[in-house]
Amino acid sequence: MTQPKKLFIKTYGCQMNVYDSERMAEAMGGQGYVQTDSPDDADMILLNTCHIREKAAEKVYSELGRYKGLKSERPDLKIGVAGCVAQAEGEEIMRRQPMVDLVVGPQSYHRLPELEAKARGGEKALDTDFPEEDKFERLKSRPKAKRGPTAFLTVQEGCDKFCAFCVVPYTRGAEVSRPAARILREAQELVERGVREITLLGQNVNAYHGEGVAGARWSLARLIWALDEIDGLERIRFTTSHPNDMSDPLIEAHADCKKLMPYLHLPVQSGSDKILKRMNRAHTAESYLRVIEKLRKARPDILLSGDFIVGFPEETEEDFQATMDLVRAVEYGQAYSFKYSTRPGTPAAERPQVEEAVKTERLHRLQDLLWSQQRGLQKRMVGREVSVLFEKAGRDAGQMVGKSEHLHAVHAYAPDVEIGELRQVRIVESLTNSLTGELL
Ligand code: 5AD
Ligand code: SF4
């Protein structure tokens, strides 16, 4: 019998990449590869990269540098770069790091087995096309192994919004929605493999408009209602959304669909209308706040999460204060904040830049505020009864860890609870990044 070959995948960036890495690992399983946790004994190393901010690409190059030794010891080792850096820099990667054998962009993953064969044959293999086909259909996995209780499911990819700072429309291409029937089938299969919670993924997930089961296009709300009917699926989430695509039926689903969790990641980026306009966000602070108001009316306990950029070109202290005001008005339970990072080829890269020290100082002030809101909201859970989906064993004996409906990590002494069980827990303490609870 031939030994299975070993594949080491390192994933950077967003959840979409996590999903893609799983699909690639499954596809390579068909080529006789099993996944390994260490690059040291791998036959193939695949970096699934992110291009969203500058440092991300630099990290990839320095990571590649670390494999130089391995590659010279074992010339048979194949090294591949996938993801958005692969899409954006393509041949440049092979020029900068000649030890890279394979480069594959996010829309070409179904061609990975062919590319691997080509690389095995000693040729350089590169594919950064945007083919028309549904790569996930072509990336079907083999017989269904049991898996953990939570899963990502990509329903939409790409973006047509062209925010002035963002590379996504260039690296992931135009917005494409997968047909609903395929998504429902994949969800059903996931549930049969033990999944209880599905997070629908898309760069612009709430702009979903895939072919419906009976032909006419479905919105994300319609898709959620169809998923709601799958027995054994207990929780539905979706990310990432754009404020302008928060339709009324989708907001109402937060009131009426019991499986849809009371948590929403709704990036705003800035609270200044001047900056929002320059960012080409096509919404104002006010219109964003109106969406939040409707959401809270539909689901009063909904926990909101956001993305923020400080130091966008020409952001003044006054503009920054408008962001702080918006944050105070919303009160976020979770947040991701970044210094603006220049991305060549995007419109904002050409504009007058804010000094680095100013960006750093603003980021600190914003993060202090966001962090105190986050902690405050988490603390308010103490004394409440929450439903927890248990995902894994905790550090202490008999302890299990899971997620609440609001996506808080919850630890509890639960020696008889199995992974994948949903149980009621009373929260007794709020720690830095998690809650402690008692099983009811
Ligand atoms: N600089 C800083 N942050 C960025 N993001 C996207 N592009 C940039 C950039 N050029 C942030 C946005 C987005 C999140 C995924 O990353 O906040 O919502
Ligand atoms: Fe980038 Fe804006 Fe599209 Fe989000 S909506 S992926 S920030 S261009």
Side-chain angles (χ1 to χ4, degrees):
M1 220 181 91
T2 52
Q3 282 283 2
K5 286 175 282 186
K6 291 189 180 152
L7 172 65
F8 173 72
I9 305 188
K10 184 157 177 160
T11 307
Y12 298 84
C14 64
Q15 290 135 332
M16 182 112 20
N17 270 9
V18 174
Y19 177 83
D20 287 349
S21 290
E22 285 172 11
R23 297 290 80 71
M24 288 194 278
E26 285 175 355
M28 294 304 282
Q31 308 299 112
Y33 276 90
V34 294
Q35 250 182 302
T36 169
D37 295 336
S38 146
D40 298 330
D41 63 345
D43 298 281
M44 179 166 173
I45 294 175
L46 193 59
L47 301 184
N48 192 6
T49 62
C50 169
H51 200 238
I52 197 93
R53 286 168 291 276
E54 243 162 328
K55 293 228 172 72
E58 283 317 308
K59 259 193 253 163
V60 171
Y61 284 111
S62 72
E63 183 75 15
L64 283 170
R66 290 176 43 194
Y67 300 138
K68 264 205 180 115
L70 279 179
K71 178 86 176 173
S72 59
E73 275 167 36
R74 293 189 286 119
D76 265 2
L77 167 67
K78 297 297 166 199
I79 296 184
V81 180
C84 294
V85 177
Q87 187 64 45
E89 312 217 335
E91 287 169 21
E92 170 71 18
I93 298 174
M94 286 184 170
R95 256 199 304 278
R96 254 180 88 169
Q97 280 291 2
M99 64 177 191
V100 172
D101 302 289
L102 183 160
V103 170
V104 58
Q107 302 313 324
S108 306
Y109 290 157
H110 52 292
R111 296 185 183 152
L112 187 60
E114 291 160 45
L115 294 168
E116 187 267 351
K118 193 170 168 192
R120 282 266 152 239
E123 278 178 78
K124 296 272 173 194
L126 178 131
D127 193 337
T128 51
D129 288 349
F130 281 101
E132 286 287 305
E133 50 213 320
D134 180 351
K135 67 180 174 197
F136 298 123
E137 264 313 282
R138 305 274 309 275
L139 264 181
K140 283 250 196 63
S141 55
R142 289 163 320 131
K144 310 298 178 192
K146 182 112 176 106
R147 47 169 300 161
T150 64
F152 295 130
L153 203 175
T154 294
V155 304
Q156 178 279 332
E157 264 193 284
C159 183
D160 295 339
K161 297 264 192 296
F162 290 92
C163 297
F165 49 82
C166 185
V167 287
V168 165
Y170 312 97
T171 55
R172 290 271 172 170
E175 235 179 73
V176 179
S177 298
R178 297 178 67 201
R182 290 182 193 166
I183 295 165
L184 294 174
R185 197 181 59 219
E186 199 172 319
Q188 182 68 50
E189 285 170 5
L190 287 168
V191 169
E192 284 161 15
R193 294 170 68 188
V195 169
R196 294 286 163 265
E197 171 179 309
I198 291 180
T199 302
L200 305 175
L201 297 181
Q203 260 100 22
N204 228 313
V205 72
N206 59 342
Y208 175 84
H209 57 281
E211 185 192 319
V213 170
R217 290 196 170 268
W218 278 13
S219 65
L220 184 67
R222 180 73 191 77
L223 180 66
I224 287 170
W225 279 112
L227 288 162
D228 183 65
E229 287 177 25
I230 297 180
D231 281 338
L233 179 61
E234 307 288 351
R235 291 174 162 191
I236 303 168
R237 306 180 186 274
F238 60 90
T239 196
T240 290
S241 300
H242 190 285
N244 291 358
D245 294 311
M246 271 329 283
S247 69
D248 287 338
L250 187 57
I251 292 174
E252 281 153 26
H254 278 281
D256 304 329
C257 179
K258 294 283 166 292
K259 293 186 181 176
L260 188 57
M261 291 294 102
Y263 181 102
L264 183 68
H265 182 60
L266 197 61
V268 65
Q269 316 297 355
S270 168
S272 150
D273 288 343
K274 175 192 103 187
I275 295 296
L276 286 170
K277 196 164 173 114
R278 291 182 191 187
M279 285 178 165
N280 192 31
R281 289 287 293 177
H283 64 78
T284 60
E286 162 90 32
S287 67
Y288 177 84
L289 291 172
R290 267 204 307 274
V291 172
I292 301 285
E293 200 182 315
K294 282 202 227 171
L295 278 161
R296 287 209 162 120
K297 216 162 159 193
R299 181 81 205 226
D301 71 333
I302 195 163
L303 193 134
L304 292 157
S305 156
D307 287 343
F308 304 88
I309 295 177
V310 300
F312 185 79
E314 298 171 279
E315 183 189 72
T316 61
E317 175 61 25
E318 199 184 342
D319 295 319
F320 173 69
Q321 282 306 333
T323 301
M324 296 288 275
D325 288 343
L326 179 138
V327 170
R328 284 187 201 101
V330 174
E331 221 188 350
Y332 288 91
Q334 176 68 263
Y336 305 88
S337 48
F338 314 99
K339 291 193 259 186
Y340 169 70
S341 162
T342 319
R343 309 313 289 130
T346 60
E350 312 297 323
R351 311 228 184 103
Q353 303 292 315
V354 172
E355 250 178 77
E356 193 60 25
V358 174
K359 288 188 202 172
T360 305
E361 191 271 335
R362 285 181 192 163
L363 186 66
H364 284 156
R365 277 190 282 160
L366 176 61
Q367 288 184 338
D368 282 348
L369 175 62
L370 288 166
W371 182 234
S372 75
Q373 291 191 341
Q374 218 165 306
R375 242 186 354 226
L377 284 173
Q378 198 186 277
K379 246 191 179 141
R380 261 183 252 165
M381 301 309 291
V382 175
R384 301 243 301 253
E385 258 181 47
V386 304
S387 142
V388 175
L389 175 61
F390 284 99
E391 292 175 18
K392 58 182 184 207
R395 238 185 295 144
D396 304 335
Q399 193 189 49
M400 295 282 286
V401 192
K403 295 271 166 55
S404 73
E405 297 197 324
H406 296 96
L407 215 51
H408 288 123
V410 179
H411 299 255
Y413 179 72
D416 301 324
V417 169
E418 289 188 24
I419 288 174
E421 260 188 80
L422 269 168
R423 295 288 293 266
Q424 289 296 113
V425 168
R426 188 191 316 283
I427 302 300
V428 293
E429 194 187 3
S430 175
L431 308 171
T432 316
N433 287 310
S434 65
L435 295 165
T436 311
E438 288 168 355
L439 219 55
L440 290 171

